[in-house]
Amino acid sequence: MEARTPPKQAAKQLDELTILYQFSNTMLSTIRLNKLTHLILTALTSGRTMLFEQAMLFLRNEKTGMLLGMFGVTQDTAEGLKVVGGETALSSRWDIDDDVIANQRASDFSKHVRATRIEASMDCAIIRRVIHELRLYAPGEEGCQVCEACDFTHRLGVTAFAVAPLVARDRALGIIVVDNPVSNKAIDHDDLNFLQLIANQAGMAVENSMLYNRVEEAHTSLREARERLVHGERLAAIGAMAANLAHELKNPIVTIGGFAGRLVKGLPRDSREHQYADTIVKEIGRLERMLADILAFSRKPTICYNICDVGEILVDCFASCATTLEDHGIMLAKTFEGGPWMTLGDAHQLKQVFLNLVLNACEAMPDGGALSVSLEKVSLDKKCILVSIQDSGGGIPADMLPKIFNPFFTTKPQGTGLGLAIVNRILQNHGGSIEARSEGNGAMFTVTLQQAEHTRIT
């Protein structure tokens, strides 16, 4: 006769089989890495399974090799595990709510785990066995002398513990550390077998979740790149059409402006006809400026790089704006420190940048004000030159600051919205940048350019 399994042992085996089936079903229930890892540790520590009293998860950073503490769960924070789905125990699974996950991460124990880093060193017997040999570490195994790598166990108050690797494709994704700090119950052979089985399934589930997230990120990046490409093609088509249209309109507009100018000169100044012709001349001038901006923005610029002095460019710019500054009653204050300020670029285009910024400042101060321009050398990621242009013209509303460098965005009644867009593009072509912010009673524009050697290019 065959020996029968004792009822208690049979009931235990059934319970273990049920737990394994429920755990397997749980691993297939979600691809959210965050929820998946919380389910794993909660299943190991929940009162429903009665396996361990405490569990910690560390994932391996592929670049540094360090084991990074993700979070930890105790029996106190594992109470939210619930059984869902299935008409029988073998077809059911576990689940937890998002608020349970949040509470687990907010616990003091979990915070201590997240602050822990483990060096994956071959010198540590535990790390060598679990990470490099992909084998379970059991409590009390010989050869373990507490070292710097596994000193985290003392810092987290862990004594008799077991460590299981999360393995996928013959490499360790991380480790799970379990222990029983409250009851000091020994981790026996059955517990270790159970931990090994669960860790094997958990490793494959975590790997699948990571792969899925990478595919999702790649898909998102591809979709965004495709949208940018389509948007760029549309903008290119619009730009080409605008350039052609501007070119075709320029000749007749110049002709109209010329004849209107002759009418202005030949008509009595106090006549209605003179006023009409003068209005035509002014509007034609505005259209010519607009067409010039559109053509300048749509053309691919030709940059003649040379070593030039930003200080000299600014001085030349101030000379060109002297009449405008005087007419607007604007006081100019210059602070140039640590010259010369050499950069590699096109002096003509850089002058266009500063002319645009200074003239914009003048328009912001029609009744007079103060304009401060400072020039200095700084060390950021590289050695750079900073040009700060600050006015007292009332500043820029916070909701408009992110938009002012966008093409065709303007707050001026007769503006084209291309001036600052052209400035931004010129600086990008020079490897520089521009930032704007409200400062005091006005606005400040800060231009950053890279420093260059003094040697001139011929």
Side-chain angles (χ1 to χ4, degrees):
M1 295 181 59
E2 295 183 1
R4 291 187 176 182
T5 303
K8 288 186 178 180
Q9 186 177 350
K12 181 181 178 183
Q13 290 175 350
L14 179 61
D15 289 341
E16 291 176 349
L17 184 63
T18 301
I19 291 174
L20 285 175
Y21 266 101
Q22 288 178 324
F23 187 84
S24 179
N25 293 335
T26 301
M27 293 299 95
L28 298 173
S29 66
T30 180
I31 46 84
R32 287 172 49 197
L33 182 60
N34 186 44
K35 184 173 184 177
L36 183 65
T37 52
H38 277 270
L39 280 168
I40 293 168
L41 295 200
T42 306
L44 287 170
T45 54
S46 172
R48 290 183 176 276
T49 59
M50 301 294 292
L51 294 174
F52 306 99
E53 296 172 357
Q54 194 167 259
M56 294 159 274
L57 174 68
F58 296 83
L59 291 182
R60 190 177 187 184
N61 186 304
E62 294 182 0
K63 293 182 179 179
T64 64
M66 294 284 289
L67 291 167
L68 310 180
M70 303 308 293
F71 64 98
V73 177
T74 64
Q75 284 189 338
D76 293 335
T77 58
E79 295 176 353
L81 191 69
K82 56 186 179 181
V83 179
V84 297
E87 297 180 357
T88 64
L90 295 182
S91 62
S92 63
R93 61 179 176 83
W94 296 312
D95 197 9
I96 51 176
D97 297 327
D98 289 340
D99 58 342
V100 175
I101 293 175
N103 290 335
Q104 289 176 349
R105 297 192 73 82
S107 69
D108 291 337
F109 177 68
S110 190
K111 290 178 182 178
H112 288 316
V113 174
R114 286 203 303 275
T116 303
R117 300 290 182 268
I118 305 173
E119 180 71 40
S121 172
M122 286 285 289
D123 297 332
C124 175
I126 297 176
I127 300 300
R128 183 174 61 252
R129 180 183 181 90
V130 179
I131 294 296
H132 300 285
E133 298 177 7
L134 306 180
R135 294 191 296 153
L136 188 76
Y137 171 80
E141 288 194 355
E142 296 182 1
C144 174
Q145 302 293 329
V146 175
C147 59
E148 292 183 3
C150 63
D151 184 55
F152 75 95
T153 57
H154 284 187
R155 285 184 276 126
L156 293 172
V158 177
T159 52
F161 62 93
V163 186
L166 288 174
V167 181
R169 293 188 296 177
D170 297 326
R171 63 187 182 92
L173 302 177
I175 61 174
I176 294 177
V177 182
V178 296
D179 69 332
N180 298 312
V182 178
S183 64
N184 291 321
K185 173 190 169 186
I187 299 176
D188 58 25
H189 183 72
D190 290 340
D191 295 331
L192 292 174
N193 286 339
F194 225 86
L195 177 62
Q196 183 71 71
L197 290 172
I198 287 178
N200 288 343
Q201 293 188 59
M204 291 184 289
V206 169
E207 172 75 359
N208 290 338
S209 177
M210 288 180 171
L211 290 175
Y212 180 84
N213 289 336
R214 288 171 189 164
V215 170
E216 281 290 297
E217 291 174 1
H219 178 70
T220 301
S221 299
L222 182 61
R223 184 176 64 250
E224 291 174 351
R226 184 170 59 249
E227 290 174 355
R228 287 194 299 269
L229 181 60
V230 172
H231 183 63
E233 290 175 348
R234 289 174 181 168
L235 287 179
I238 293 172
M241 181 181 68
N244 291 333
L245 184 60
H247 182 74
E248 293 299 324
L249 289 175
K250 188 173 182 180
N251 289 336
I253 284 176
V254 169
T255 302
I256 294 170
F259 281 109
R262 290 184 183 183
L263 289 175
V264 169
K265 293 178 182 179
L267 292 170
R269 296 186 65 84
D270 57 350
S271 67
R272 182 177 296 178
E273 290 77 9
H274 182 280
Q275 294 177 7
Y276 293 161
D278 187 57
T279 300
I280 293 173
V281 169
K282 290 178 180 177
E283 289 302 307
I284 288 296
R286 185 171 72 87
L287 286 174
E288 287 179 343
R289 290 192 297 273
M290 184 183 297
L291 292 176
D293 284 345
I294 292 174
L295 288 171
F297 186 74
S298 60
R299 289 196 193 105
K300 185 176 181 180
T302 301
I303 303 176
C304 299
Y305 288 104
N306 207 329
I307 299 294
C308 50
D309 191 324
V310 179
E312 293 179 1
I313 296 173
L314 283 171
V315 170
D316 189 18
C317 173
F318 298 148
S320 301
C321 298
T323 302
T324 305
L325 292 169
E326 184 178 346
D327 291 344
H328 284 73
I330 297 171
M331 298 296 296
L332 176 64
K334 298 176 288 186
T335 306
F336 292 2
E337 298 179 355
W341 305 271
M342 313 307 290
T343 190
L344 180 63
D346 188 317
H348 175 73
Q349 291 195 21
L350 290 177
K351 181 181 177 181
Q352 184 181 351
V353 167
F354 299 124
L355 271 175
N356 191 300
L357 295 176
V358 171
L359 292 176
N360 278 356
C362 292
E363 292 180 6
M365 300 180 288
D367 300 322
L371 180 65
S372 301
V373 181
S374 64
L375 179 60
E376 59 180 324
K377 296 177 181 178
V378 297
S379 293
L380 302 175
D381 294 337
K382 298 179 180 179
K383 291 183 178 180
C384 296
I385 299 168
L386 289 188
V387 182
S388 300
I389 300 176
Q390 183 176 359
D391 62 59
S392 57
I396 304 171
D399 59 330
M400 292 185 182
L401 275 173
K403 307 174 185 176
I404 60 174
F405 297 109
N406 294 343
F408 306 109
F409 177 82
T410 181
T411 58
K412 302 175 186 177
Q414 297 183 345
T416 63
L418 290 173
L420 289 178
I422 293 172
V423 164
N424 190 36
R425 191 176 68 175
I426 290 174
L427 291 173
Q428 288 178 348
N429 291 337
H430 282 74
S433 63
I434 183 169
E435 294 180 356
R437 68 176 186 272
S438 289
E439 187 81 12
N441 296 324
M444 175 181 283
F445 288 83
T446 303
V447 172
T448 305
L449 293 166
Q450 294 183 19
Q451 288 188 43
E453 300 297 330
H454 294 194
T455 305
R456 292 188 176 274
I457 298 176
T458 57

